[in-house]
Amino acid sequence: MVKTASTMLPLGTKAPDFELTHVDGSLVRRSAFDGKPLLVIFMCNHCPFVKHLADHLSAMAKSWQELGVAVVGISSNDAEAYPADNPEAMKIEAAERGYEFPYLFDADQSVAKAYRAACTPDFFLFDSQHQLAYRGQYDASRPGNEIEITGEDLDRAVRQLVSGETLDEQQIPSIGCNIKWKPDAAPEYFDPNGTA
């Protein structure tokens, strides 16, 4: 595991397109969410940073969806090297965690690279025009640091966005395990020594 921070994609960046397979077998396109705020979460099953907040995130995502925000989770890990993150395992994870958002598999890792996603979890919140409004941490809680999981950083951003408030541009990077890139396929922005 390499402890890795978000790349902090520039605010205002347009959400890259994607067309990925949901664990239910359907295809999900970014364009299906046109006109709605969109939260894209790069995540996976086995990462301790994701497991730390997964149940809380499941509940929070439901509340954000009720506010009209579209939510998608994307796993981009190399499923051959990490079978706990393969699509069948993702299907089981989604059911057990009660994810009501699409949980998508980025088999060739191209979507992660398009978003410059680096870690799990890595959060990207776009406005209704799909321009980036927030990227950063869920909250200050990490495995073992004894800080309560609240989701306050991301929740504040979601609620400010929905209410039309201006979001603070000072945002704290998410920290997690690095995305598990396929052999010889790591992007140029990946630091194998960690960035956190």
Side-chain angles (χ1 to χ4, degrees):
M1 177 187 79
V2 177
K3 193 176 178 186
T4 301
S6 304
T7 61
M8 303 304 276
L9 189 67
L11 295 172
T13 297
K14 183 77 173 176
D17 283 331
F18 58 76
E19 180 180 272
L20 297 172
T21 303
H22 183 9
V23 294
D24 69 4
S26 64
L27 279 178
V28 176
R29 299 173 178 85
R30 183 205 53 80
S31 59
F33 310 111
D34 282 352
K36 298 179 68 172
L38 172 64
L39 173 62
V40 177
I41 309 165
F42 288 88
M43 53 191 289
C44 67
N45 296 345
H46 89 273
C47 170
F49 288 86
V50 176
K51 290 169 79 168
H52 175 67
L53 54 77
D55 290 331
H56 195 278
L57 174 62
S58 180
M60 292 294 282
K62 291 171 190 173
S63 71
W64 298 330
Q65 289 171 305
E66 289 169 1
L67 293 174
V69 177
V71 179
V72 299
I74 300 176
S75 179
S76 300
N77 279 357
D78 178 358
E80 289 187 20
Y82 296 85
D85 293 331
N86 71 30
E88 189 56 38
M90 290 170 59
K91 185 175 183 178
I92 294 168
E93 178 78 357
E96 291 181 347
R97 298 286 188 187
Y99 294 153
E100 294 186 3
F101 52 83
Y103 193 15
L104 313 177
F105 183 53
D106 178 21
D108 66 4
Q109 305 186 314
S110 61
V111 176
K113 291 175 182 178
Y115 281 74
R116 294 183 66 86
C119 57
T120 52
D122 211 351
F123 300 96
F124 298 82
L125 176 65
F126 298 89
D127 64 19
S128 59
Q129 304 303 308
H130 289 184
Q131 293 182 315
L132 187 63
Y134 178 86
R135 72 288 191 247
Q137 69 177 8
Y138 188 69
D139 58 24
S141 183
R142 306 283 185 266
N145 75 357
E146 307 304 326
I147 295 175
E148 180 184 1
I149 302 169
T150 63
E152 62 181 352
D153 292 60
L154 183 53
D155 186 54
R156 182 186 312 112
V158 168
R159 293 178 185 280
Q160 287 175 333
L161 184 66
V162 169
S163 65
E165 297 176 46
T166 301
L167 278 66
D168 189 347
E169 293 189 6
Q170 292 295 112
Q171 300 171 4
I172 300 170
S174 187
I175 300 288
C177 300
N178 62 292
I179 289 176
K180 302 304 187 278
W181 303 106
K182 295 182 178 185
D184 302 316
E188 45 83 22
Y189 59 81
F190 172 61
D191 177 0
N193 299 311
T195 55

